[in-house]
Coordinates of all heavy atoms in Angstrom, one line a residue:
M699 N -5.7 -10.7 0.1 CA -4.3 -10.6 -0.4 C -4.1 -9.2 -1.0 O -4.9 -8.7 -1.7 CB -4.2 -11.7 -1.5 CG -2.9 -11.6 -2.2 SD -2.8 -12.9 -3.5 CE -1.2 -13.6 -3.0
S700 N -3.0 -8.6 -0.7 CA -2.6 -7.3 -1.2 C -2.4 -7.4 -2.7 O -2.0 -8.4 -3.2 CB -1.4 -6.8 -0.5 OG -1.7 -6.6 0.9
S701 N -2.6 -6.3 -3.4 CA -2.4 -6.3 -4.9 C -2.0 -5.0 -5.4 O -2.1 -3.9 -4.8 CB -3.8 -6.8 -5.5 OG -4.8 -5.8 -5.2
I702 N -1.5 -5.1 -6.7 CA -1.2 -3.9 -7.5 C -2.0 -4.0 -8.8 O -2.0 -5.0 -9.5 CB 0.3 -3.9 -7.9 CG1 1.2 -3.8 -6.6 CG2 0.6 -2.7 -8.8 CD1 2.7 -3.9 -6.9
M703 N -2.8 -3.0 -9.0 CA -3.6 -2.9 -10.2 C -3.0 -1.9 -11.2 O -2.5 -0.9 -10.7 CB -5.1 -2.5 -9.9 CG -5.9 -3.6 -9.2 SD -5.7 -3.9 -7.5 CE -6.0 -2.3 -6.7
I704 N -3.1 -2.2 -12.5 CA -2.4 -1.3 -13.5 C -3.4 -1.1 -14.6 O -4.1 -2.0 -15.1 CB -1.2 -2.0 -14.1 CG1 -0.2 -2.4 -13.0 CG2 -0.6 -1.1 -15.1 CD1 0.9 -3.3 -13.5
T705 N -3.5 0.2 -14.9 CA -4.4 0.6 -16.1 C -3.5 1.6 -16.9 O -2.9 2.5 -16.4 CB -5.6 1.4 -15.6 OG1 -6.3 0.6 -14.6 CG2 -6.5 1.8 -16.7
R706 N -3.5 1.3 -18.2 CA -2.8 2.1 -19.2 C -3.7 3.0 -20.0 O -4.7 2.4 -20.5 CB -1.9 1.3 -20.1 CG -1.1 2.2 -21.1 CD -0.1 1.4 -21.9 NE 1.0 0.8 -21.2 CZ 2.1 1.4 -20.7 NH1 2.3 2.6 -20.9 NH2 3.0 0.7 -20.1
K707 N -3.4 4.3 -20.1 CA -4.2 5.2 -21.0 C -3.1 5.9 -21.8 O -2.5 6.9 -21.3 CB -5.1 6.1 -20.2 CG -6.2 5.4 -19.5 CD -7.1 6.4 -18.7 CE -8.2 5.6 -18.0 NZ -8.9 6.4 -17.1
G708 N -2.9 5.5 -23.0 CA -1.8 6.0 -23.8 C -0.5 5.7 -23.2 O -0.2 4.6 -22.9
E709 N 0.3 6.8 -23.0 CA 1.6 6.6 -22.4 C 1.6 6.7 -20.9 O 2.6 6.5 -20.2 CB 2.7 7.5 -22.9 CG 2.4 9.0 -22.6 CD 3.4 9.9 -23.2 OE1 3.7 9.8 -24.4 OE2 3.9 10.8 -22.5
M710 N 0.4 7.0 -20.3 CA 0.2 7.2 -18.9 C -0.2 5.8 -18.3 O -1.1 5.2 -18.8 CB -0.8 8.2 -18.6 CG -1.0 8.6 -17.2 SD 0.4 9.5 -16.5 CE 0.4 11.0 -17.4
L711 N 0.4 5.5 -17.1 CA 0.0 4.3 -16.4 C -0.5 4.7 -15.1 O 0.1 5.5 -14.4 CB 1.3 3.5 -16.2 CG 1.2 2.0 -16.0 CD1 0.6 1.3 -17.3 CD2 2.5 1.3 -15.7
E712 N -1.7 4.2 -14.7 CA -2.2 4.4 -13.4 C -2.0 3.1 -12.5 O -2.4 2.1 -12.9 CB -3.7 4.7 -13.4 CG -4.2 5.0 -12.0 CD -5.6 5.6 -11.9 OE1 -6.3 5.7 -12.9 OE2 -6.1 5.9 -10.8
I713 N -1.3 3.3 -11.4 CA -0.9 2.2 -10.6 C -1.6 2.4 -9.3 O -1.5 3.4 -8.6 CB 0.6 2.2 -10.3 CG1 1.3 2.1 -11.7 CG2 1.0 1.1 -9.4 CD1 2.8 2.4 -11.6
S714 N -2.4 1.4 -8.9 CA -3.2 1.4 -7.6 C -2.7 0.3 -6.8 O -2.7 -0.9 -7.2 CB -4.7 1.3 -8.0 OG -5.4 1.4 -6.8
V715 N -2.4 0.6 -5.5 CA -1.9 -0.5 -4.6 C -2.9 -0.6 -3.5 O -3.3 0.4 -2.8 CB -0.5 0.0 -4.0 CG1 -0.1 -1.1 -3.0 CG2 0.5 0.2 -5.1
K716 N -3.4 -1.8 -3.3 CA -4.3 -2.1 -2.2 C -3.6 -3.0 -1.1 O -3.1 -4.0 -1.5 CB -5.6 -2.8 -2.7 CG -6.5 -3.2 -1.5 CD -7.7 -3.9 -2.1 CE -8.6 -4.3 -0.9 NZ -9.7 -5.1 -1.4
I717 N -3.5 -2.5 0.1 CA -2.9 -3.3 1.2 C -4.0 -3.9 2.0 O -4.8 -3.2 2.6 CB -2.0 -2.4 2.0 CG1 -1.0 -1.6 1.2 CG2 -1.3 -3.2 3.1 CD1 0.0 -2.4 0.4
V718 N -4.0 -5.2 2.1 CA -4.9 -5.9 3.0 C -4.4 -5.9 4.4 O -3.4 -6.5 4.7 CB -5.2 -7.4 2.5 CG1 -6.1 -8.1 3.5 CG2 -5.8 -7.3 1.1
H719 N -5.0 -5.0 5.2 CA -4.5 -4.8 6.6 C -5.6 -4.2 7.4 O -6.2 -3.1 7.1 CB -3.3 -3.8 6.5 CG -2.6 -3.6 7.9 ND1 -3.1 -2.8 8.8 CD2 -1.5 -4.1 8.3 CE1 -2.3 -2.8 9.9 NE2 -1.3 -3.6 9.6
A720 N -6.0 -4.8 8.5 CA -7.0 -4.3 9.4 C -6.4 -3.1 10.2 O -5.3 -3.2 10.6 CB -7.5 -5.3 10.4
T721 N -7.2 -2.0 10.3 CA -6.7 -0.8 10.9 C -7.3 -0.7 12.3 O -8.5 -0.9 12.5 CB -7.1 0.4 10.1 OG1 -6.4 0.3 8.9 CG2 -6.7 1.7 10.8
E722 N -6.5 -0.4 13.3 CA -7.0 -0.1 14.6 C -6.4 1.3 15.0 O -5.2 1.5 14.9 CB -6.5 -1.1 15.7 CG -7.2 -2.4 15.6 CD -8.7 -2.4 16.0 OE1 -9.1 -1.4 16.6 OE2 -9.4 -3.3 15.7
D723 N -7.3 2.2 15.4 CA -6.8 3.6 15.7 C -6.5 3.8 17.2 O -6.1 4.9 17.6 CB -7.8 4.6 15.2 CG -9.2 4.5 16.0 OD1 -9.3 3.7 16.9 OD2 -10.1 5.3 15.6
G724 N -6.6 2.8 18.0 CA -6.3 2.9 19.4 C -7.4 3.4 20.3 O -7.3 3.6 21.5
Q725 N -8.6 3.7 19.7 CA -9.7 4.3 20.4 C -10.8 3.3 20.8 O -11.7 3.6 21.6 CB -10.4 5.4 19.5 CG -9.4 6.5 19.1 CD -8.9 7.3 20.3 OE1 -9.6 7.7 21.1 NE2 -7.5 7.5 20.3
R726 N -10.8 2.1 20.2 CA -11.8 1.1 20.4 C -11.5 0.3 21.6 O -10.3 -0.1 21.8 CB -11.9 0.2 19.1 CG -13.1 -0.7 19.2 CD -13.2 -1.5 17.9 NE -12.1 -2.3 17.6 CZ -12.0 -3.6 18.0 NH1 -12.9 -4.1 18.8 NH2 -10.9 -4.3 17.7
R727 N -12.5 -0.1 22.4 CA -12.3 -1.0 23.5 C -12.7 -2.4 23.2 O -13.7 -2.6 22.4 CB -13.1 -0.5 24.7 CG -12.6 0.8 25.4 CD -13.5 1.1 26.6 NE -13.1 2.3 27.2 CZ -12.2 2.5 28.2 NH1 -11.6 1.4 28.7 NH2 -11.9 3.6 28.6
D728 N -12.0 -3.4 23.7 CA -12.3 -4.8 23.5 C -13.6 -5.0 24.3 O -13.7 -4.6 25.4 CB -11.2 -5.6 24.1 CG -11.5 -7.1 23.9 OD1 -12.1 -7.7 24.8 OD2 -11.1 -7.7 22.9
S729 N -14.6 -5.7 23.7 CA -15.9 -5.9 24.3 C -15.8 -6.8 25.5 O -16.6 -6.7 26.4 CB -16.9 -6.5 23.3 OG -16.4 -7.7 22.8
K730 N -14.8 -7.7 25.6 CA -14.7 -8.6 26.7 C -13.9 -8.1 27.9 O -14.3 -8.1 29.0 CB -14.2 -10.0 26.3 CG -15.1 -10.7 25.4 CD -14.6 -12.1 25.0 CE -15.6 -12.7 24.0 NZ -15.3 -14.0 23.7
S731 N -12.7 -7.5 27.6 CA -11.8 -7.1 28.6 C -12.1 -5.6 29.0 O -11.7 -5.2 30.1 CB -10.4 -7.2 28.2 OG -10.0 -6.3 27.1
G732 N -12.6 -4.8 28.1 CA -12.8 -3.4 28.3 C -11.6 -2.6 28.1 O -11.6 -1.4 28.2
K733 N -10.5 -3.2 27.8 CA -9.2 -2.5 27.5 C -9.2 -2.0 26.1 O -9.8 -2.5 25.2 CB -8.0 -3.4 27.7 CG -7.9 -3.9 29.2 CD -6.7 -4.8 29.3 CE -6.6 -5.3 30.7 NZ -5.4 -6.2 30.9
F734 N -8.4 -0.9 25.9 CA -8.3 -0.4 24.6 C -7.5 -1.3 23.7 O -6.5 -1.9 24.1 CB -7.5 1.0 24.6 CG -8.4 2.1 25.1 CD1 -8.2 2.7 26.3 CD2 -9.4 2.6 24.2 CE1 -9.0 3.7 26.8 CE2 -10.2 3.7 24.7 CZ -10.0 4.2 25.9
V735 N -8.0 -1.5 22.4 CA -7.3 -2.3 21.4 C -6.1 -1.5 21.0 O -6.3 -0.3 20.6 CB -8.2 -2.7 20.3 CG1 -7.4 -3.4 19.2 CG2 -9.4 -3.5 20.8
P736 N -4.9 -2.0 21.0 CA -3.7 -1.2 20.6 C -3.8 -0.7 19.1 O -4.4 -1.4 18.3 CB -2.5 -2.2 20.7 CG -3.0 -3.3 21.6 CD -4.5 -3.4 21.4
E737 N -3.2 0.5 19.0 CA -3.2 1.1 17.7 C -2.4 0.2 16.7 O -1.3 -0.3 17.1 CB -2.5 2.5 17.8 CG -2.4 3.3 16.6 CD -1.8 4.6 17.0 OE1 -0.5 4.7 17.1 OE2 -2.5 5.6 17.1
N738 N -2.9 0.0 15.5 CA -2.2 -0.7 14.4 C -2.7 -0.3 13.1 O -3.8 -0.5 12.7 CB -2.3 -2.2 14.6 CG -1.5 -3.0 13.7 OD1 -0.6 -2.5 13.1 ND2 -1.7 -4.3 13.6
F739 N -1.8 0.4 12.3 CA -2.2 0.9 11.0 C -1.0 0.9 10.1 O 0.1 0.9 10.6 CB -2.8 2.3 11.1 CG -1.9 3.3 11.7 CD1 -1.1 4.1 10.9 CD2 -1.9 3.5 13.1 CE1 -0.2 5.0 11.5 CE2 -1.0 4.4 13.7 CZ -0.2 5.2 12.8
V740 N -1.3 1.0 8.8 CA -0.2 1.1 7.8 C 0.4 2.5 7.9 O -0.3 3.5 7.7 CB -0.7 0.8 6.4 CG1 0.4 1.0 5.4 CG2 -1.2 -0.7 6.3
Q741 N 1.7 2.6 8.2 CA 2.3 3.9 8.3 C 2.9 4.4 7.0 O 2.9 5.6 6.8 CB 3.5 3.9 9.4 CG 3.0 3.8 10.8 CD 4.2 3.9 11.7 OE1 5.2 3.2 11.5 NE2 4.1 4.6 12.8
Q742 N 3.5 3.5 6.3 CA 4.2 3.9 5.1 C 4.1 2.9 4.0 O 4.1 1.7 4.2 CB 5.7 4.0 5.4 CG 6.6 4.5 4.3 CD 8.0 4.6 4.6 OE1 8.5 3.8 5.4 NE2 8.7 5.6 4.1
I743 N 3.9 3.4 2.7 CA 3.9 2.5 1.6 C 5.0 3.1 0.6 O 4.9 4.3 0.3 CB 2.6 2.4 0.9 CG1 1.5 1.9 1.8 CG2 2.7 1.6 -0.4 CD1 0.1 2.0 1.3
V744 N 5.9 2.3 0.1 CA 6.9 2.8 -0.8 C 6.7 2.0 -2.1 O 6.6 0.7 -2.1 CB 8.4 2.5 -0.3 CG1 9.4 2.9 -1.4 CG2 8.6 3.3 1.0
L745 N 6.5 2.7 -3.2 CA 6.3 2.1 -4.5 C 7.6 2.2 -5.3 O 8.3 3.2 -5.4 CB 5.2 2.8 -5.3 CG 4.9 2.2 -6.7 CD1 4.4 0.8 -6.6 CD2 3.9 3.1 -7.4
K746 N 8.1 1.0 -5.9 CA 9.3 1.0 -6.6 C 9.1 0.4 -8.0 O 8.2 -0.4 -8.2 CB 10.3 0.1 -5.9 CG 10.7 0.5 -4.5 CD 11.7 -0.4 -3.9 CE 12.1 0.0 -2.5 NZ 13.1 -0.9 -1.9
V747 N 9.9 0.9 -9.0 CA 9.9 0.4 -10.3 C 11.3 -0.1 -10.6 O 12.2 0.7 -10.5 CB 9.5 1.5 -11.4 CG1 9.6 0.9 -12.8 CG2 8.1 2.0 -11.1
D748 N 11.4 -1.4 -10.8 CA 12.7 -2.0 -11.0 C 13.7 -1.6 -9.9 O 14.8 -1.2 -10.1 CB 13.3 -1.7 -12.4 CG 12.5 -2.4 -13.5 OD1 11.9 -3.4 -13.2 OD2 12.5 -1.8 -14.6
D749 N 13.2 -1.7 -8.6 CA 14.0 -1.5 -7.4 C 14.4 0.0 -7.2 O 15.2 0.4 -6.3 CB 15.3 -2.3 -7.4 CG 15.0 -3.8 -7.0 OD1 14.0 -4.0 -6.3 OD2 15.7 -4.6 -7.5
R750 N 13.8 0.9 -8.0 CA 14.0 2.4 -7.8 C 12.8 3.0 -7.1 O 11.7 2.9 -7.7 CB 14.2 3.1 -9.1 CG 15.5 2.8 -9.8 CD 15.7 3.6 -11.1 NE 14.5 4.0 -11.8 CZ 14.0 3.3 -12.8 NH1 14.6 2.2 -13.3 NH2 12.9 3.7 -13.4
P751 N 12.9 3.6 -6.0 CA 11.7 4.2 -5.3 C 11.2 5.3 -6.2 O 12.0 6.2 -6.7 CB 12.3 4.7 -4.0 CG 13.6 4.0 -3.8 CD 14.1 3.7 -5.1
V752 N 9.9 5.3 -6.4 CA 9.3 6.4 -7.2 C 8.2 7.1 -6.5 O 7.8 8.2 -6.9 CB 8.7 5.8 -8.6 CG1 9.9 5.3 -9.5 CG2 7.7 4.7 -8.3
A753 N 7.7 6.5 -5.4 CA 6.6 7.2 -4.6 C 6.7 6.7 -3.2 O 7.0 5.5 -2.9 CB 5.2 6.9 -5.2
D754 N 6.5 7.6 -2.2 CA 6.6 7.3 -0.8 C 5.3 7.9 -0.1 O 5.2 9.1 -0.2 CB 7.9 7.8 -0.2 CG 8.1 7.4 1.2 OD1 7.2 6.8 1.9 OD2 9.3 7.6 1.7
F755 N 4.5 7.1 0.4 CA 3.2 7.5 1.0 C 3.4 7.3 2.6 O 3.6 6.2 3.0 CB 2.0 6.7 0.6 CG 1.8 6.8 -0.9 CD1 2.4 5.8 -1.8 CD2 1.0 7.8 -1.5 CE1 2.2 5.9 -3.1 CE2 0.9 7.8 -2.9 CZ 1.5 6.9 -3.7
N756 N 3.2 8.4 3.3 CA 3.2 8.4 4.8 C 1.7 8.5 5.2 O 1.1 9.5 4.9 CB 4.0 9.5 5.4 CG 5.5 9.2 5.0 OD1 6.0 8.2 5.4 ND2 6.1 10.1 4.3
L757 N 1.2 7.5 5.9 CA -0.2 7.4 6.2 C -0.4 7.5 7.8 O 0.5 7.4 8.5 CB -0.8 6.1 5.7 CG -0.5 5.7 4.3 CD1 -0.9 4.3 3.9 CD2 -1.1 6.8 3.4
G758 N -1.7 7.7 8.2 CA -2.0 7.8 9.6 C -3.1 6.8 10.0 O -3.6 6.0 9.2
A759 N -3.5 6.9 11.2 CA -4.4 5.9 11.8 C -5.9 6.2 11.4 O -6.7 5.3 11.6 CB -4.3 6.0 13.4
N760 N -6.2 7.3 10.8 CA -7.6 7.6 10.4 C -8.0 7.0 9.0 O -8.9 7.5 8.5 CB -7.8 9.1 10.5 CG -7.8 9.6 11.9 OD1 -8.1 8.8 12.8 ND2 -7.3 10.8 12.1
L761 N -7.3 6.1 8.5 CA -7.6 5.4 7.3 C -8.5 4.2 7.5 O -8.4 3.6 8.6 CB -6.4 5.0 6.5 CG -5.5 6.1 6.0 CD1 -4.2 5.6 5.4 CD2 -6.2 6.9 4.9
P762 N -9.3 3.8 6.5 CA -10.1 2.6 6.7 C -9.2 1.3 6.6 O -8.0 1.4 6.2 CB -11.0 2.7 5.5 CG -10.3 3.4 4.4 CD -9.4 4.4 5.2
D763 N -9.8 0.2 6.9 CA -9.1 -1.1 6.7 C -8.8 -1.2 5.2 O -9.5 -0.6 4.4 CB -10.1 -2.2 7.0 CG -10.3 -2.4 8.5 OD1 -9.6 -1.8 9.3 OD2 -11.1 -3.2 8.9
H764 N -7.7 -1.9 5.0 CA -7.2 -2.2 3.6 C -7.0 -0.9 2.8 O -7.7 -0.6 1.8 CB -8.2 -3.1 2.9 CG -8.7 -4.2 3.7 ND1 -7.9 -5.1 4.4 CD2 -10.0 -4.5 4.1 CE1 -8.6 -5.9 5.1 NE2 -9.9 -5.6 4.9
P765 N -6.1 0.0 3.2 CA -5.9 1.2 2.5 C -5.4 1.0 1.0 O -4.8 0.0 0.7 CB -4.8 1.9 3.3 CG -4.1 0.8 4.0 CD -5.1 -0.2 4.3
R766 N -5.8 2.0 0.2 CA -5.4 2.0 -1.2 C -4.8 3.3 -1.6 O -5.3 4.4 -1.2 CB -6.7 1.7 -2.0 CG -6.4 1.6 -3.5 CD -7.7 1.4 -4.3 NE -8.4 0.2 -3.8 CZ -8.8 -0.8 -4.5 NH1 -8.6 -0.8 -5.8 NH2 -9.4 -1.9 -4.0
V767 N -3.7 3.3 -2.3 CA -3.1 4.5 -2.8 C -2.9 4.3 -4.3 O -2.8 3.2 -4.8 CB -1.8 4.8 -2.2 CG1 -1.9 5.1 -0.7 CG2 -0.8 3.7 -2.3
S768 N -2.9 5.5 -5.1 CA -2.8 5.4 -6.5 C -1.8 6.5 -6.9 O -1.7 7.6 -6.3 CB -4.1 5.7 -7.2 OG -5.0 4.6 -7.0
V769 N -1.2 6.3 -8.1 CA -0.2 7.2 -8.7 C -0.3 7.1 -10.2 O -0.5 5.9 -10.7 CB 1.2 7.0 -8.1 CG1 1.8 5.7 -8.5 CG2 2.1 8.1 -8.5
K770 N -0.1 8.2 -10.9 CA 0.0 8.1 -12.4 C 1.4 8.4 -12.8 O 2.1 9.2 -12.2 CB -1.0 9.1 -13.0 CG -2.4 8.8 -12.8 CD -3.3 9.8 -13.5 CE -4.8 9.4 -13.3 NZ -5.7 10.4 -13.9
M771 N 1.9 7.5 -13.7 CA 3.3 7.6 -14.1 C 3.5 7.5 -15.6 O 2.7 6.8 -16.3 CB 4.1 6.5 -13.4 CG 4.1 6.6 -11.9 SD 5.0 5.3 -11.2 CE 6.7 5.7 -11.8
R772 N 4.5 8.1 -16.1 CA 4.9 7.9 -17.5 C 6.2 7.0 -17.5 O 6.8 6.9 -16.5 CB 5.2 9.2 -18.2 CG 4.0 10.1 -18.3 CD 4.4 11.4 -18.9 NE 3.4 12.4 -18.7 CZ 2.6 12.8 -19.7 NH1 2.8 12.4 -20.9 NH2 1.7 13.7 -19.4
N773 N 6.7 6.6 -18.7 CA 8.0 5.9 -18.8 C 8.0 4.6 -18.0 O 9.1 4.2 -17.6 CB 9.1 6.8 -18.4 CG 9.2 8.1 -19.2 OD1 8.9 8.1 -20.4 ND2 9.5 9.2 -18.6
V774 N 6.9 4.0 -17.9 CA 6.9 2.6 -17.3 C 6.4 1.7 -18.4 O 5.4 2.0 -19.1 CB 5.9 2.5 -16.1 CG1 5.8 1.1 -15.6 CG2 6.3 3.5 -15.0
V775 N 7.2 0.7 -18.7 CA 6.9 -0.1 -19.9 C 6.7 -1.6 -19.5 O 7.0 -2.0 -18.4 CB 8.1 0.0 -20.9 CG1 8.2 1.4 -21.4 CG2 9.4 -0.5 -20.3
K776 N 6.2 -2.4 -20.5 CA 6.0 -3.8 -20.3 C 7.3 -4.4 -19.8 O 8.4 -4.1 -20.4 CB 5.5 -4.5 -21.6 CG 4.1 -4.4 -21.8 CD 3.7 -5.3 -23.0 CE 2.2 -5.2 -23.2 NZ 1.8 -6.1 -24.3
G777 N 7.2 -5.3 -18.8 CA 8.4 -6.0 -18.3 C 9.0 -5.3 -17.1 O 9.7 -6.0 -16.3
N778 N 8.7 -4.0 -16.9 CA 9.2 -3.4 -15.6 C 8.5 -4.1 -14.4 O 7.4 -4.7 -14.6 CB 8.8 -1.9 -15.5 CG 9.6 -1.0 -16.4 OD1 9.1 -0.1 -16.9 ND2 10.9 -1.3 -16.5
V779 N 9.2 -4.2 -13.3 CA 8.6 -4.8 -12.1 C 8.2 -3.7 -11.1 O 9.1 -2.9 -10.7 CB 9.6 -5.8 -11.5 CG1 9.1 -6.4 -10.2 CG2 10.0 -6.9 -12.5
L780 N 7.0 -3.8 -10.7 CA 6.5 -2.9 -9.7 C 6.5 -3.6 -8.3 O 6.1 -4.7 -8.2 CB 5.0 -2.4 -10.0 CG 4.8 -1.7 -11.3 CD1 3.3 -1.5 -11.5 CD2 5.6 -0.4 -11.4
V781 N 7.0 -2.9 -7.3 CA 7.0 -3.5 -6.0 C 6.4 -2.4 -5.0 O 6.8 -1.3 -5.1 CB 8.4 -3.8 -5.5 CG1 8.5 -4.3 -4.1 CG2 9.0 -4.9 -6.4
A782 N 5.5 -2.9 -4.2 CA 5.0 -2.0 -3.1 C 5.4 -2.7 -1.8 O 5.1 -3.8 -1.5 CB 3.5 -1.9 -3.2
E783 N 6.1 -1.9 -0.9 CA 6.5 -2.4 0.4 C 5.8 -1.5 1.4 O 5.7 -0.3 1.2 CB 8.0 -2.3 0.5 CG 8.8 -3.2 -0.4 CD 10.3 -3.0 -0.4 OE1 10.8 -1.9 -0.1 OE2 10.9 -4.0 -0.8
W784 N 5.4 -2.1 2.5 CA 4.7 -1.3 3.5 C 5.2 -1.7 4.9 O 5.8 -2.7 5.2 CB 3.2 -1.4 3.4 CG 2.6 -2.7 3.7 CD1 2.2 -3.2 4.9 CD2 2.4 -3.8 2.8 NE1 1.7 -4.5 4.8 CE2 1.9 -4.8 3.5 CE3 2.7 -3.9 1.4 CZ2 1.6 -6.0 2.8 CZ3 2.4 -5.1 0.8 CH2 1.8 -6.1 1.5
L785 N 5.0 -0.7 5.9 CA 5.4 -0.9 7.3 C 4.2 -0.4 8.1 O 3.6 0.6 7.8 CB 6.6 0.0 7.6 CG 7.0 0.1 9.0 CD1 7.6 -1.2 9.5 CD2 8.1 1.2 9.2
D786 N 3.8 -1.3 9.1 CA 2.7 -0.8 10.0 C 3.3 -0.3 11.3 O 4.5 -0.4 11.6 CB 1.6 -1.9 10.1 CG 2.0 -3.1 11.0 OD1 3.0 -3.0 11.8 OD2 1.2 -4.0 11.0
S787 N 2.4 0.2 12.1 CA 2.8 0.9 13.3 C 3.3 -0.1 14.4 O 3.9 0.3 15.4 CB 1.6 1.7 13.9 OG 0.5 0.8 14.1
S788 N 3.1 -1.4 14.2 CA 3.7 -2.4 15.1 C 5.0 -2.9 14.6 O 5.7 -3.8 15.3 CB 2.7 -3.6 15.3 OG 2.7 -4.4 14.1
G789 N 5.5 -2.4 13.5 CA 6.8 -2.9 12.9 C 6.7 -4.0 11.9 O 7.7 -4.4 11.3
K790 N 5.5 -4.5 11.6 CA 5.3 -5.5 10.7 C 5.5 -5.0 9.3 O 5.0 -3.9 8.9 CB 3.9 -6.2 10.8 CG 3.7 -7.3 9.8 CD 2.3 -7.8 10.0 CE 2.0 -8.8 8.9 NZ 0.6 -9.2 8.9
K791 N 6.2 -5.7 8.4 CA 6.4 -5.3 7.0 C 5.7 -6.2 6.1 O 5.5 -7.4 6.4 CB 7.9 -5.3 6.7 CG 8.7 -4.3 7.5 CD 10.2 -4.4 7.2 CE 11.0 -3.4 8.0 NZ 12.4 -3.5 7.7
G792 N 5.4 -5.7 4.9 CA 4.8 -6.5 3.8 C 5.3 -6.1 2.5 O 5.9 -5.0 2.4
R793 N 5.0 -6.9 1.5 CA 5.5 -6.6 0.1 C 4.6 -7.3 -0.9 O 4.1 -8.4 -0.7 CB 6.9 -7.2 0.0 CG 7.6 -7.0 -1.2 CD 9.0 -7.6 -1.1 NE 9.9 -7.1 -2.1 CZ 10.1 -7.5 -3.3 NH1 9.4 -8.6 -3.7 NH2 11.0 -7.0 -4.1
V794 N 4.3 -6.6 -2.0 CA 3.6 -7.2 -3.1 C 4.3 -6.8 -4.4 O 4.9 -5.7 -4.4 CB 2.1 -6.8 -3.1 CG1 1.9 -5.3 -3.3 CG2 1.3 -7.6 -4.1
E795 N 4.3 -7.7 -5.4 CA 5.1 -7.4 -6.6 C 4.3 -7.8 -7.8 O 3.5 -8.7 -7.8 CB 6.4 -8.3 -6.6 CG 7.3 -8.2 -7.7 CD 8.5 -9.0 -7.6 OE1 9.1 -9.0 -6.5 OE2 8.8 -9.7 -8.5
R796 N 4.4 -7.0 -8.9 CA 3.7 -7.3 -10.1 C 4.6 -6.8 -11.3 O 5.1 -5.7 -11.3 CB 2.4 -6.7 -10.2 CG 1.7 -7.0 -11.5 CD 0.2 -6.5 -11.5 NE -0.3 -6.7 -12.8 CZ -1.5 -6.3 -13.2 NH1 -2.3 -5.7 -12.4 NH2 -1.9 -6.5 -14.4
K797 N 4.7 -7.7 -12.3 CA 5.3 -7.3 -13.6 C 4.3 -6.5 -14.4 O 3.2 -6.9 -14.6 CB 5.9 -8.5 -14.3 CG 6.7 -8.2 -15.5 CD 7.3 -9.4 -16.2 CE 8.5 -9.8 -15.5 NZ 9.3 -10.8 -16.3
V798 N 4.8 -5.4 -15.1 CA 3.9 -4.7 -15.9 C 3.6 -5.5 -17.2 O 4.5 -5.9 -17.9 CB 4.5 -3.3 -16.3 CG1 3.7 -2.5 -17.3 CG2 4.8 -2.5 -15.1
D799 N 2.3 -5.7 -17.4 CA 1.9 -6.5 -18.6 C 0.9 -5.8 -19.5 O 0.3 -6.5 -20.3 CB 1.3 -7.8 -18.1 CG 0.1 -7.6 -17.1 OD1 -0.2 -6.5 -16.8 OD2 -0.4 -8.6 -16.6
V800 N 0.8 -4.5 -19.3 CA -0.1 -3.8 -20.2 C 0.6 -2.7 -20.9 O 1.7 -2.2 -20.5 CB -1.3 -3.1 -19.4 CG1 -2.2 -4.2 -18.8 CG2 -0.8 -2.2 -18.4

């Protein structure tokens, strides 16, 4: 399951987003058919605070399975809602949400 982790150090908040997604770079062959396994990776992750985009990550095929991105921010307070939305190279979208509780 994808998740958002939050750590507070003073007024600074570290937000880490983990996307559960298997990555295929298009270079691996299927062991039975011998055909290349189609490329499939997380292309973009957008982090929002209360529906306002605050970070946009553009990723590539050379990442490991279950990519993780982190950002440090100020002016994020208890009760704000963090949302991470992502898009993979096949067009599939995902979303994870967490209310700030630290």
Side-chain angles (χ1 to χ4, degrees):
M699 175 180 231
S700 298
S701 60
I702 299 175
M703 285 79 60
I704 304 170
T705 306
R706 181 175 294 279
K707 292 182 181 171
E709 64 181 51
M710 188 69 68
L711 206 66
E712 183 171 3
I713 301 163
S714 181
V715 178
K716 179 182 176 185
I717 306 299
V718 175
H719 186 282
T721 297
E722 287 293 345
D723 65 4
Q725 303 296 313
R726 187 175 65 84
R727 290 185 183 265
D728 180 271
S729 61
K730 293 184 181 182
S731 70
K733 296 180 181 179
F734 284 106
V735 176
E737 183 177 79
N738 188 11
F739 59 92
V740 175
Q741 284 185 318
Q742 182 181 39
I743 301 172
V744 177
L745 179 63
K746 299 178 180 182
V747 177
D748 292 335
D749 288 327
R750 289 184 329 264
V752 294
D754 189 346
F755 302 91
N756 293 299
L757 310 173
N760 292 328
L761 291 173
D763 286 351
H764 320 303
R766 183 182 302 233
V767 296
S768 295
V769 64
K770 291 182 179 180
M771 300 180 65
R772 295 175 196 252
N773 302 322
V774 178
V775 297
K776 279 187 178 182
N778 285 144
V779 177
L780 303 174
V781 174
E783 298 174 332
W784 65 93
L785 173 68
D786 76 12
S787 58
S788 70
K790 181 180 172 188
K791 296 179 180 182
R793 182 178 199 273
V794 63
E795 180 177 313
R796 179 173 175 187
K797 186 176 275 192
V798 176
D799 55 359
V800 295

